Amino acid sequence: MIYSIVKYGDPVLETQTATITEFDTPELHKLLDDMFESMYAAKGVGLAAPQIGIGKRIAVVDLSVGEDPEKKIVLINPEVIHREGSQQSEEGCLSLPGYGAKVPRALRVRVECLNERAEPVVIEAEGWYARILQHEIGHLRGDLYIDHMDSRTFSTQDNHTRHGKA
Ligand code: ZN
């Protein structure tokens, strides 16, 4: 099922999400399938559950936007446990369509999370990938990227930006 993307202004985007405690259930598998499907329909590279109106600590990422099944990443109860360096580049969000902004982020991160079978996963990411992970994990805390900007200077972003939306 394809959900429509919740837009900026909806309180679900600014609320802490609930930690997942039940794994490998049909409901969880269905939700993950729906999240990937909804993300691909919106041409996004990342999607957090609050962006489809569900206040749960789950995000999905696929930098290939559906081109490569190996690139599908499930993040359940994720935490950034290490940050290094800094980067500042253009970021877009499916919940703020049409806009982009330069957002300061760590250059490298280590993320710990669980997959749908409650197996621990450690992700070491750098650059664009690290930025998307920080963006999604922010959504799960009720943060939007505009909360991390030095100044609120928006630029309009076309739909084919090479940086992707998340
Ligand atoms: Zn976003």
Side-chain angles (χ1 to χ4, degrees), residues 51 92-95 135-136 139 144-145 166:
Q51 293 182 282
C93 182
L94 294 171
S95 297
H135 181 109
E136 296 317 323
H139 272 302
L144 294 167
Y145 74 81

Side-chain angles (χ1 to χ4, degrees), residues 92-166:
C93 182
L94 294 171
S95 297
L96 283 113
Y99 294 97
K102 293 220 187 249
V103 184
R105 298 284 189 186
L107 179 61
R108 278 181 290 275
V109 292
R110 184 178 306 128
V111 170
E112 284 186 4
C113 61
L114 299 171
N115 68 14
E116 60 274 37
R117 293 176 299 279
E119 296 160 343
V121 177
V122 178
I123 301 171
E124 305 270 358
E126 187 173 339
W128 185 42
Y129 186 21
R131 188 151 44 78
I132 301 294
L133 293 175
Q134 291 169 84
H135 181 109
E136 296 317 323
I137 292 168
H139 272 302
L140 301 178
R141 284 192 306 266
D143 273 8
L144 294 167
Y145 74 81
I146 53 173
D147 301 325
H148 297 278
M149 287 163 58
D150 291 335
S151 63
R152 298 203 166 194
T153 44
F154 284 99
S155 56
T156 49
Q157 193 185 38
D158 69 42
N159 285 328
H160 304 286
T161 173
R162 67 192 175 85
H163 299 289
K165 293 168 289 180

